[in-house]
Amino acid sequence: MKSILIDDSWMLPCMSKQLIGMDCPGCGIQRSISFLLEGNIFESFLLYPGLFPGIFLFFFLIFDWFKDIRNGEQIKLWATVITIGTILTSYFIKMAIH
């Protein structure tokens, strides 16, 4: 039986894929979130590796907003660099394979 979360009927279509037929750097994040919510961490990571540093960045930004963290600016900078780097690296690898 297929899970409701992994069913892609609720997902937004990728405009890049519809208009030019190519994946964008964000393609796969919705399905990756679905896998993560189902507890399929490994599948989620394989589908969209940038989700995990992005989640860390998101929660760190919220936490830093309420609590002053020493070296918070450097942590935010490095978390952003790692998130964007992971997204772009996995995107280029995916484009090279396909």
Side-chain angles (χ1 to χ4, degrees):
M1 184 167 133
K2 196 170 188 180
S3 171
I4 295 172
L5 290 175
I6 297 176
D7 177 29
D8 63 358
S9 63
W10 61 271
M11 294 182 190
L12 298 172
C14 176
M15 293 305 291
S16 172
K17 198 168 202 165
Q18 286 184 334
L19 295 175
I20 61 174
M22 269 180 69
D23 286 351
C24 71
C27 279
I29 194 167
Q30 293 178 91
R31 193 173 311 280
S32 179
I33 291 170
S34 290
F35 279 126
L36 186 62
L37 292 174
E38 286 289 320
N40 299 321
I41 297 169
F42 186 69
E43 289 86 357
S44 176
F45 177 78
L46 288 178
L47 188 59
Y48 198 81
L51 179 63
F52 293 92
I55 289 171
F56 170 79
L57 176 61
F58 176 75
F59 283 110
F60 185 80
L61 289 172
I62 291 172
F63 186 73
D64 188 57
W65 191 1
F66 294 106
K67 181 90 172 143
D68 189 31
I69 310 248
R70 194 176 74 163
N71 298 325
E73 294 303 313
Q74 282 118 358
I75 295 170
K76 287 188 277 191
L77 174 67
W78 281 107
T80 302
V81 167
I82 290 168
T83 301
I84 293 171
T86 305
I87 291 168
L88 292 178
T89 301
S90 64
Y91 174 71
F92 290 130
I93 289 170
K94 182 167 66 169
M95 290 296 104
I97 292 172
H98 290 90

